[in-house]
Amino acid sequence: LVRSHTEKRIVVEVKHKIEKNMILEAVSPKLFAPVPVRVLALYDVNTHQEVAEISAGRVGQLVEIQTDLDDLSLLPPLSVMRLKAEK
């Protein structure tokens, strides 16, 4: 779940394990179809240090995701970030 974003990073509430180079899907009220989002880097929201992976260890845990999307304003707060479905 997207909580906020800056010009370069999305702040997401962690519900599942997220790793660098993973591809997630973003479901936004501004778009008609899910958008693939590649995780270029993960950052701890408190220390701003890069981490290789993060798991849901506590309720409301947040992580900053650096991604390949050009326009992060397409993902307003409460947009859904989900694991990309395997086909």
Side-chain angles (χ1 to χ4, degrees), residues 5 14 16 24 26 29 31 36 43 63 77:
H5 60 77
V14 180
H16 300 281
L24 304 173
L31 304 170
Y43 298 90
V63 66

Side-chain angles (χ1 to χ4, degrees), residues 55-69:
S55 297
R58 63 184 184 274
V59 175
Q61 184 170 357
L62 302 175
V63 66
E64 292 179 343
I65 297 176
Q66 183 176 348
T67 182
D68 57 353
L69 287 180

Side-chain angles (χ1 to χ4, degrees), residues 19-40:
E19 299 174 328
K20 186 176 177 178
N21 295 320
M22 191 176 220
I23 297 178
L24 304 173
E25 284 185 329
V27 180
S28 170
K30 294 185 175 186
L31 304 170
F32 291 107
V35 176
V37 175
R38 179 174 297 279
V39 177
L40 300 178

Side-chain angles (χ1 to χ4, degrees), residues 2 6 8 22 35 44 53 55 74 79-81 83:
V2 175
T6 63
K8 298 181 182 183
M22 191 176 220
V35 176
D44 182 282
E53 63 182 43
S55 297
L74 293 175
S79 297
V80 174
M81 298 288 289
L83 300 176

